[in-house]
Structure formats: structure tokens, C-alpha cells
Amino acid sequence: MILRTLMSFTLLLLVSSAQAALNIQIIGAGERQIPVAIIPFAGEDKLPVSLSSVISADLARTGLFRLVDPAGKAPHQPAEVNYAEWGGVEAIAIGSVAAQENNRTEIRFRLLDGVKQVELLGQAVSGRDSQLRYIAHRIADTIYEKLTGVPGVFSTRIVYVNRNKSKFKLIVSDSDGYGEQVILDSDEPIMSPAWSPDGSHLAYVSFELGHAAVFVQSLVTGQRKAVASFNGSNSAPAWSPDGRQLALVLTRDGGSQIYLCKPDGSDLKRLTHGDAINTEPNFSPDGQYLLFTSDRGGSAQIYRMPVDGGSAQRVTFEGGQAFSPRHSPDGKGFVFTYRNGGRFYIATEDFETKQMQLLTDGGWEKRPSFAPNGKLVLFASDAAGRGILSTVSSDGKVKQRMSAQTGDVREPMWGPFLNQ
Amino acid sequence: MKKIALSGLLLSLLTACASQTTKPVAPVTPAADASATTGKPGTAASAEVDPLDDPKTGLTYRSLYYALDVDVIQDADKPLVAAHAKYLSTHPARNVRLEGNADERGSNEYNLALAQRRADGVKKLLLLGGAKEGQLTSVSYGEEKPRNTNHDEDGWAENRRTDLNYAK
């Protein structure tokens, strides 16, 4: 028996509300679903969070798993599992919780292979009530990785803007939409939030100074600074993979031009010229290239250029328009918004084949970003005229819609893996 | 003229709520009226009335409208811009903020850039018409401050707009 102690984690954001801010709806399913059973942990009914429910919901959302109802069976130790009762179930998660000193709870869980009848892994974690959802997401990540070979993203976070009439909120939440935290409250528009690679800062555009200006805000201290507020518009911040540079867009010199600077706004260096719109820069994972949107060819399309200068190459060639490019985590392609015939689609393209693949059926779909494992894409869509968040698996097979209870949800971006 | 009377009414409404909104209110397409009235922008200036507030001058029209994904000023709007340029050149103490807007089709950032280009285009034409750089500020709200929140052609048409917002 191996008990690994994980996660003496520091949560970057300390307050976590457990209220259900978003309702989640899953559409479609993967072709082959792995049957798994998540048994309610012994003693979890005394906790404010049902760990097994959070884990089950995380796994179900991917479309890769079929959650098998335990049907009253409640083993909590490996010795209590009668494998004969779990025919066909490939993985069984069991566990227990115990109160510790200082209002902490210890959670022990094990993942069992239902076919080979062996223990796949075991963990013990301890945390406060406010950390229970996070711990459950981490357990779901562990299970996901063990069963698929790909790191899970359930414990990562997302950022988005909530617009309610003329009130704007910049919000960070768990990847499942719970644990909403208001990062900025404003009577003026907020747009284009972008995570720093280590998840410790957000860059975004706020109109609080009367025009679009780029701010950088620490999620640890809450400190914020306007790093670009020149005449005209300052917008579209994007972090370099090493976190040492921002790409952003300024109009102070005519047209919309892409610049590089340090995250404090110093050392501005202009990258594009001409009268066209150049916007929405996004660094490649190796930091060598920028994808961006430009109408230099007559309509909005995606271009790619070296960060250290050199000419830009057009990379989207379909009819219609293309916006908001973002590299996939492996750097082999990108996701973007494709507009044609009055509809907006989420699409991907592979650099090598130059083939566009539509991931969605189209409608009102904007600002896609990959989950850090590359398996899901988060984007803004709408339902009954209101902005909502949606995800689609990167193969287009599984869709999920999260609808906030009030206001319009806009401008989402999926955050990075957090190193513990 | 019926439209002139209407704009006068709208102006008084605007004045009434000026402390709450910075948006000029002129939803009527300005082109026809502007060309009909801009011949004598200075003449209405009796001692107290600022020609800017005199419906007869055409200067109460302070919005320009655009086609989708276009930032070029329509020919029909050029006399309106010329009238404002002339007013600014003869009233050097007045400052105006050019506020570009876009409809919600396209990405938010693209629309921010497009609407900035709309505002910058009006600024250029005002400079050509005699306004001074120091009187003009151009900003973009992109799709973020829609005057019309309907997601349809009429709403979008109203939101593709540059407003001339004079400082009080």
C-alpha cells in the first residue's frame, strides 16, 4: 500500500464559495466510454462538499467515461471490494474521510482496476473545507490521467467577463464553473483577459480610464497596474510562454499595431506596420511565433509571424473571416473563430495539413481557448440571447454548455496547469 | 422641418439627462438633414445660443453610421463632418471626443480595432476641415457599449457608429 502525500498546496485564491453559479449541460458523448464507479467516500456526508459527486461530474463532462451506479454497494477499503459484483467496470474509486486537528480533513482514496483486480493508486490528502472542491478536482485529475494517459484539467481555472446591463465583472472560477471569484468589478467594459503562464497574474483590457487600456493584476496580492494607456486603444494582451513578455495592440501610431513589452509595460517594441488591423496576438508554445488576426488581405484572416521580426504568412484560406487564433498546447495547430454565412463556428487548423476542421455546428461562438491538456476548447456562445460558456472536445465530439444565472458571460479563457 | 423639430426635442432630452450619459442622442440618419442645413452653421449664433445647440445649424447631429466591417465615412456624412470641423475651427476652446463603435459581429478585439479606425477616420477629416489636433480625442468602444442591444440588423446598424461627443 502506497500512501503518497500530495498537495501541501497554496491556493492562489483563498476564498472559495461553494454556490452553484453555473448550470451545466452536456451534449453528445465519446464513442468509447470507460465504465467507472465512484463510490461515495466513507464519512463524506458530514462534509460541506460531496467529494464523489464532484469527481463524478468532472469525469462525466469529458464524455470519455460512463459512470456506473454503485447500486447500494459501498466498499471503502480494498478488502471490502467484491470484484465479482463489478463485472465490466474497469475502474473503481473508493475512499474515506477523517476529521483532523485545526478544522482539517484527511481524505484517503484509492483507484482499483476492476478487471485486473489490483490497486492502481492510493493517495492521502488533507485540507480545509474551503479546499475540498479543489481536492476533489485533483482526485478527478489523477483518475483521468491514470485511465487515459493524459493529464486532467479539472483542477485548473478559467476566467471570463460577466456583463449584466452596464455592470462588468472579471471572474475566475474552477473549470466546472463553481467557486466564482470576482477579480474586478466595474461600471465600464472589461475584455480580453489573459492568464500569465504560471496562473499568478491576469492581463486584461478595462475601459475605466475612458478608453481601452491594458492592465496587469496579481491574483495573489490583488495589486493592479495600467501597463499600456496610450492615446487611442490599448488592447489584446497575450503572455509569452516564459512570462517575461506581453504582446499587445496599440493604435497610438496609426492603425492597430502589435507590440512587445515587459509585463510592467516597459521596453515597447513595435512588430507590425501599415494601415491594416493587426490584433489578437498569441504566442506559440516555443515562444518563437505569433499568430494574429489581420484584415490586410481585405477580410479578417489569421496570420503568423516570427516574434523577432520577419514577414507574416497568411495561414487561413477559407472563404469568410477568421478571428481569435490560439495555439494548441503542442504547437502543431491552432483554434480560432470562423465566420461564414452569418454564423460563427469554432474551428481548428493543423499547420502541416492546413486543413480547417469545424468543431461546432455554428451560431454565436467566439474566443476559443484550449484547456492546458489540449483535449477541450472553452468558448463563448449564447442561449436565448444570453452569453454563456461552452466547451467542446478538441475532436468536436462532446459539447458542454455552462449557463450563468444572470447576465452575459463573455470573453472566456482557460487557465494554465498550476505547478504545486 | 419635421426632422429638425424632432432633433430639437431629442436635444432637450439629452440636456435633461446629460449628467448620466455621455452619449449624444441622434438616432435619425443625419445625412439628408446635414447637407440641407450645413450651409450656414455660423449664422444662427445669436448672442446666447451656441450654434452647436441650435437645431438649425445641423450640428445637433453628432453621429455617423457605417456599413458592416467598413470604416470609410459615407459621402452623405461628409458635409456633417465638415460643418463640425468649421465649428471647431471657429471655436478653438471647444473639444470633442470621437467615440467609435462597432456591431457585435466579429471578435471583440477586431471590433475594437475597427471602431478605433472609424473614430480615427472622423478625426482625420475634422483636421482636414480646420479643427486642431488638441481639440480632438479619438477612442473606441468596439462592441462593448451597444446603444441598441437587439441582436438583429436594425440593432447592428445603429451600433456601427462614430459619435462626436463635445466636452461640456
Side-chain angles (χ1 to χ4, degrees):
Chain A
M1 181 181 81
I2 302 163
L3 281 180
R4 265 184 300 165
T5 304
L6 247 196
M7 295 181 280
S8 59
F9 47 72
T10 49
L11 285 176
L12 291 171
L13 293 160
L14 299 172
V15 192
S16 182
S17 72
Q19 73 197 22
L22 296 157
N23 298 314
I24 292 166
Q25 190 183 356
I26 302 164
I27 305 153
E31 278 167 4
R32 183 198 174 297
Q33 294 183 301
I34 302 170
V36 297
I38 312 297
I39 316 297
F41 292 3
E44 74 169 16
D45 53 339
K46 297 182 190 71
L47 299 177
V49 174
S50 167
L51 301 169
S52 59
S53 300
V54 173
I55 297 166
S56 297
D58 280 347
L59 296 176
R61 273 203 323 280
T62 66
L64 298 177
F65 302 95
R66 181 166 61 83
L67 277 300
V68 177
D69 184 350
K73 300 187 285 293
H76 302 304
Q77 299 293 332
E80 295 169 7
V81 176
N82 177 1
Y83 285 101
E85 294 178 338
W86 299 93
V89 178
E90 292 183 23
I92 304 160
I94 60 173
S96 60
V97 305
Q100 291 179 313
E101 292 172 1
N102 304 325
N103 293 319
R104 296 180 73 86
T105 302
E106 185 187 58
I107 296 121
R108 292 173 177 238
F109 108 95
R110 290 185 179 84
L111 186 65
L112 310 175
D113 185 323
V115 178
K116 293 180 183 158
Q117 307 191 359
V118 294
E119 182 173 323
L120 293 171
L121 59 92
Q123 288 183 347
V125 187
S126 106
R128 297 175 184 280
D129 282 357
S130 62
Q131 298 168 321
L132 291 174
R133 292 197 71 88
Y134 181 76
I135 290 170
H137 290 313
R138 291 292 302 223
I139 292 172
D141 283 344
T142 305
I143 295 172
Y144 180 91
E145 181 164 7
K146 193 74 194 174
L147 299 182
T148 69
V150 175
V153 292
F154 308 116
S155 65
T156 61
R157 292 171 303 159
I158 59 176
V159 63
Y160 53 90
V161 175
N162 186 304
R163 177 174 75 177
N164 198 349
K165 298 201 171 73
S166 60
K167 299 285 183 190
F168 295 81
K169 287 182 165 72
L170 183 63
I171 290 172
V172 167
S173 78
D174 294 353
S175 67
D176 61 356
Y178 285 82
E180 281 194 349
Q181 298 174 331
V182 178
I183 303 304
L184 181 71
D185 221 326
S186 180
D187 291 337
E188 293 294 333
I190 303 166
M191 53 184 269
S192 305
W195 290 96
S196 67
D198 66 359
S200 67
H201 289 72
L202 288 172
Y204 54 85
V205 175
S206 166
F207 286 71
E208 68 199 68
L209 301 176
H211 66 149
V214 175
F215 287 74
V216 170
Q217 181 168 340
S218 165
L219 295 177
V220 181
T221 66
Q223 278 191 323
R224 58 197 293 267
K225 182 190 175 196
V227 300
S229 184
F230 300 102
N231 283 340
S233 296
N234 307 261
S235 69
W239 297 80
S240 64
D242 63 8
R244 292 181 185 171
Q245 279 188 306
L246 287 180
L248 43 68
V249 172
L250 310 178
T251 65
R252 62 172 196 174
D253 299 318
S256 288
Q257 310 297 350
I258 297 171
Y259 294 74
L260 296 177
C261 66
K262 289 185 178 161
D264 66 359
S266 64
D267 285 353
L268 267 179
K269 180 188 165 199
R270 181 169 172 175
L271 293 186
T272 62
H273 296 82
D275 294 333
I277 289 173
N278 302 290
T279 190
E280 303 185 302
N282 173 254
F283 282 91
S284 57
D286 65 7
Q288 301 296 302
Y289 290 91
L290 289 171
L291 286 171
F292 63 101
T293 307
S294 178
D295 70 342
R296 59 184 64 191
S299 72
Q301 296 291 342
I302 310 301
Y303 291 76
R304 186 189 195 209
M305 67 178 171
V307 170
D308 55 7
S311 63
Q313 306 291 324
R314 182 170 163 177
V315 293
T316 50
F317 300 95
E318 306 289 334
Q321 294 168 296
F323 303 97
S324 309
R326 258 183 224 290
H327 286 89
S328 58
D330 65 10
K332 291 180 179 168
F334 59 100
V335 66
F336 62 105
T337 301
Y338 175 65
R339 176 168 183 260
N340 202 357
R343 292 172 79 80
F344 291 85
Y345 303 81
I346 303 304
T348 53
E349 187 179 307
D350 183 280
F351 283 123
E352 200 160 320
T353 66
K354 297 186 168 59
Q355 287 294 308
M356 179 176 79
Q357 185 195 359
L358 296 179
L359 299 188
T360 60
D361 300 328
W364 192 257
E365 298 171 338
K366 291 166 111 181
R367 205 174 196 246
S369 61
F370 276 101
N373 68 0
K375 293 298 179 187
L376 289 167
V377 173
L378 175 71
F379 60 98
S381 67
D382 80 332
R386 281 193 313 111
I388 62 167
L389 299 178
S390 290
T391 60
V392 60
S393 55
S394 51
D395 59 6
K397 283 178 183 157
V398 184
K399 295 178 179 68
Q400 173 199 338
R401 305 191 331 168
M402 300 185 268
S403 58
Q405 287 164 342
T406 56
D408 265 330
V409 175
R410 302 159 63 81
E411 299 280 279
M413 184 179 170
W414 206 311
F417 284 124
L418 297 177
N419 294 322
Q420 298 301 317
Chain B
M1 225 178 132
K2 209 191 257 173
K3 281 185 176 174
I4 295 288
L6 177 61
S7 78
L9 173 66
L10 288 169
L11 183 73
S12 59
L13 287 173
L14 171 67
T15 314
C17 61
S19 60
Q20 285 145 30
T21 175
T22 53
K23 292 274 177 61
V25 179
V28 184
T29 303
D33 306 286
S35 53
T37 54
T38 48
K40 39 177 181 165
T43 55
S46 64
E48 309 85 22
V49 181
D50 187 332
L52 203 57
D53 300 329
D54 182 351
K56 291 198 280 285
T57 64
L59 294 173
T60 55
Y61 291 106
R62 296 173 200 167
S63 294
L64 288 75
Y65 297 85
Y66 301 84
L68 174 62
D69 201 15
V70 166
D71 59 281
V72 177
I73 298 167
Q74 301 187 41
D75 283 343
D77 285 338
K78 286 179 180 166
L80 175 68
V81 179
H84 281 281
K86 186 166 183 192
Y87 171 81
L88 286 162
S89 69
T90 54
H91 296 77
R94 296 307 301 261
N95 297 323
V96 68
R97 212 170 125 88
L98 310 163
E99 300 170 341
N101 293 270
D103 74 29
E104 62 194 352
R105 291 172 292 175
S107 68
N108 292 29
E109 281 287 351
Y110 183 84
N111 286 332
L112 186 75
L114 175 65
Q116 182 71 47
R117 210 151 64 170
R118 285 174 176 161
D120 287 344
V122 176
K123 180 178 172 181
K124 261 180 212 158
L125 203 53
L126 287 171
L127 286 171
L128 282 173
K132 294 284 177 288
E133 177 80 38
Q135 295 177 281
L136 309 174
T137 307
S138 59
V139 302
S140 173
Y141 297 142
E143 62 170 87
E144 293 291 325
K145 292 193 171 190
R147 177 185 286 171
N148 187 326
T149 54
N150 293 338
H151 309 287
D152 57 22
E153 291 293 343
D154 287 349
W156 292 326
E158 197 177 335
N159 295 333
R160 294 190 299 268
R161 197 180 76 249
T162 297
D163 293 327
L164 286 80
N165 186 6
Y166 281 87
K168 291 287 177 279

